[in-house]
Amino acid sequence: MKRVINGLALTVMVTCLVWVAVLWHWQSTRRDMSIEDIVLYMGLLPVFALVLIVMTRWAWRSQVARRAEQTAGAQASASSNTSASTSAAQLPSASDAAQRHAVHAVWLAALNSPAGTSADELLAAAREGQPRPDLDSELTDPDGQPLMCARVPDLPVNDFAAELAPIIDKVRARLSATGHASAYDEPDDAMVRAIAALQAPLDEAIQALQPWAALFQPSEGQGAQDLGEVHVLIALPASWTPLEQQIAEDWIRLSLTNPERSAVPASRFAWLRQHDGGEALWLQADQLLMQCRREQRRALVLLLAAHSDVSDVAVQRLATRQALFHAGHNPKGHMPGEAACALMLASADWPSLPPGADDPGMAPLAWVHRPALARRDKSVDADGKVLSTTLSQVIEQAQAASRLPTPDVASLVCDGDQHTVRSTELFGATLALLPDLDAIEDMRLTGTVCAGPGAATPLAVIAAACAHARATDKPVMALSLGDPFARLALVARPDQPEEDAAKA
């Protein structure tokens, strides 16, 4: 009965609305109605409108019912698999958490910088704020005035250039055979200085590999898959020509595989070269070490990076980009500098002592937690307000990876400086997240003594943080913010976390 009444009500309502609309239209247009008009508009039009409304209503209800049926089916299917999917999802979550808090052993941290030839010397210089970049005796700006510059002192550039000569000839011949135009270029002085600065850290790396020689030599009943391996990750400036990049890589390969000096056969090396900076290089090393951990492989990862802006060509490049420091025109610009660094890390399955080690107390220099890496949405050198949001995020993520409370982070090492807005970014983040750190006693700003950033700068910061953690016997935050965009943070500690040592 209710449906009949609702149907009659709908019919009356539609009929009245149509009649009112038609009569109003006829009245306003002063139309002379005919019999056909009355039958069409007063009789058939209400019927058509009523049929249209009923069909629309029927289609809507059918669609709603179909969607409800599909939703119910999906919910039933999901419900039938709840227990299995829940248990399967919990395992990756626990595994991801364990991997996020993993640490890597650091067996070597060697560097060469304008402020010193070791991490300890760099830390001492950063503490005292000396030696700072000074007016250079050779380099000048586009106006002919001496430049503020930070050179690595006493680099044997002339002797090193003579050593490179046969390598340069071979690389040039190889590139000429492929029709590469840069084969006819001359290597820039900045490239020669950069790899000359790398020579001492690379020599230290070769010496650090010596105690592990037995792990790279096959023994009875041992296959090649059981031997140790060394992954060499090289960061070279993207501004170098193909000729310069190949010269540097060939020199590194020849140095590490020289049978008269190296304890590692050439077959046990794996090579990777990239141009995205030290931050990306460290991330690649971390990912490689985590892969070795999952696959239970024994490996060392050797990171090498070098850069130099100390040449007329490099200075001109900075000036063209309007990035060169000038006390009057660009006081927040880039001061030419140079540095080189070598870091050697071990996988989780690497032995805690070299075979037949005489010193039972031999141990890694430090352990580093996994890094946090992010990019700013705009260059820190761009105009406008400087925000610390991205830097704060990587500090929080690095601290979360270490599972250390804020008061346990005893100090901070970073490549911040005092003449650019990086100082504003740094102190904005540290005041909010590391308020217990004293700006003078607990912070080491390597950028104040090493000038502009480059590929080696983030690695030098981490090397200094490892040395500082060992010297103070306390955890240290390593922070890289020299790059205009990339922000990297990690925690270095003097000891291995108990939970990680138990798993090892």
Side-chain angles (χ1 to χ4, degrees):
M1 186 67 182
K2 184 177 181 180
R3 290 184 178 180
V4 175
I5 295 176
N6 290 338
L8 290 174
L10 179 63
T11 302
V12 171
M13 181 185 68
V14 171
T15 302
C16 291
L17 287 175
V18 172
W19 284 358
V20 168
V22 170
L23 291 174
W24 175 84
H25 177 70
W26 286 347
Q27 179 66 27
S28 61
T29 59
R30 300 181 181 276
R31 182 182 179 89
D32 186 13
M33 291 82 68
S34 64
I35 299 297
E36 290 82 1
D37 291 336
I38 294 175
V39 172
L40 178 62
Y41 290 103
M42 304 298 285
L44 296 180
L45 185 58
V47 174
F48 291 151
L50 184 61
V51 171
L52 180 61
I53 291 174
V54 171
M55 292 182 65
T56 303
R57 188 177 178 184
W58 172 79
W60 173 257
R61 286 183 174 180
S62 299
Q63 183 67 18
V64 170
R66 189 179 300 111
R67 289 185 178 180
E69 183 178 355
Q70 291 174 350
T71 302
Q75 290 176 346
S77 176
S79 176
S80 64
N81 297 322
T82 298
S83 59
S85 62
T86 301
S87 60
Q90 288 174 349
L91 291 176
S93 177
S95 175
D96 290 345
Q99 292 184 11
R100 183 67 188 108
H101 302 302
V103 293
H104 308 311
V106 181
W107 282 95
L108 171 73
L111 61 86
N112 196 359
S113 75
T117 56
S118 69
D120 291 331
E121 290 182 2
L122 177 58
L123 287 168
R127 177 183 175 83
E128 301 299 327
Q130 296 292 336
R132 288 179 177 269
D134 202 354
L135 292 176
D136 196 71
S137 59
E138 299 180 21
L139 296 179
T140 59
D141 63 19
D143 298 331
Q145 300 300 316
L147 272 176
M148 295 293 290
C149 179
R151 288 176 178 262
V152 174
D154 303 323
L155 273 183
V157 177
N158 293 333
D159 295 340
F160 193 74
E163 179 184 338
L164 284 181
I167 298 177
I168 294 174
D169 291 341
K170 291 181 180 179
V171 172
R172 181 174 281 125
R174 193 162 64 239
L175 291 178
S176 297
T178 61
H180 210 294
S182 68
Y184 305 99
D185 296 337
E186 287 297 327
D188 182 38
D189 291 344
M191 184 279 296
V192 178
R193 292 188 62 87
I195 54 178
L198 183 60
Q199 186 167 34
L202 188 60
D203 287 343
E204 291 189 47
I206 293 173
Q207 290 298 318
L209 288 170
Q210 295 292 343
W212 306 100
L215 297 181
F216 302 103
Q217 303 293 338
S219 59
E220 186 177 352
Q222 186 181 40
Q225 69 277 5
D226 299 320
L227 299 178
E229 53 190 7
V230 180
H231 295 263
V232 184
L233 278 57
I234 308 169
L236 300 176
S239 59
W240 286 6
T241 66
L243 174 68
E244 293 168 338
Q245 293 168 5
Q246 198 61 61
I247 290 170
E249 185 174 354
D250 280 15
W251 173 76
I252 293 172
R253 285 176 181 261
L254 289 172
S255 299
L256 285 173
T257 59
N258 185 346
E260 297 180 359
R261 301 182 60 200
S262 178
V264 183
S267 60
R268 302 315 301 165
F269 283 102
W271 306 89
L272 175 65
R273 171 166 55 107
Q274 58 96 344
H275 312 290
D276 294 330
E279 298 88 355
L281 191 75
W282 187 268
L283 186 61
Q284 288 177 325
D286 172 74
Q287 294 171 345
L288 178 58
L289 287 166
M290 294 307 298
Q291 181 180 351
C292 290
R293 176 184 288 256
R294 290 189 295 269
E295 298 174 358
Q296 297 183 337
R297 288 160 47 200
R298 295 193 303 182
L300 294 173
V301 177
L302 177 61
L303 296 93
L304 302 172
H307 74 268
S308 176
D309 300 313
V310 183
S311 75
D312 292 332
V313 173
V315 167
Q316 182 59 46
R317 189 182 300 119
L318 290 171
T320 302
R321 290 165 34 208
Q322 298 182 341
L324 184 64
F325 173 85
H326 189 285
H329 305 312
N330 190 15
K332 298 179 181 180
H334 179 108
M335 295 181 186
E338 54 192 5
C341 189
L343 282 154
M344 190 166 73
L345 290 77
S347 65
D349 289 330
W350 194 258
S352 58
L353 282 175
D358 296 331
D359 182 6
M362 186 177 181
L365 170 68
W367 281 263
V368 290
H369 284 278
R370 301 194 64 193
L373 179 63
R375 289 183 63 84
R376 293 174 53 88
D377 57 355
K378 70 172 185 177
S379 170
V380 69
D381 299 316
D383 295 335
K385 186 177 180 180
V386 178
L387 300 178
S388 304
T389 307
T390 305
L391 190 62
S392 298
Q393 289 174 351
V394 296
I395 291 176
E396 289 179 325
Q397 292 169 10
Q399 192 169 347
S402 72
R403 291 187 287 195
L404 291 171
T406 299
D408 285 0
V409 179
S411 54
L412 180 144
V413 178
C414 78
D415 53 358
D417 53 44
Q418 295 175 337
H419 75 282
T420 71
V421 292
R422 287 168 178 80
S423 58
T424 303
E425 182 186 14
L426 172 65
F427 289 110
T430 54
L431 284 174
L433 301 176
L434 301 170
D436 297 333
L437 297 186
D438 184 271
I440 297 176
E441 296 297 327
D442 302 326
M443 295 188 185
R444 301 290 183 267
L445 275 62
T446 64
T448 61
V449 295
C450 290
T457 304
L459 301 190
V461 168
I462 296 171
C466 291
H468 200 37
R470 183 164 188 170
T472 60
D473 199 29
K474 295 178 180 178
V476 175
M477 176 76 71
L479 196 59
S480 179
L481 64 157
D483 186 86
F485 293 94
R487 295 295 177 264
L488 173 72
L490 61 84
V491 174
R493 56 191 301 155
D495 55 354
Q496 186 178 17
E498 294 181 2
E499 55 272 18
D500 197 79
K503 294 174 183 178

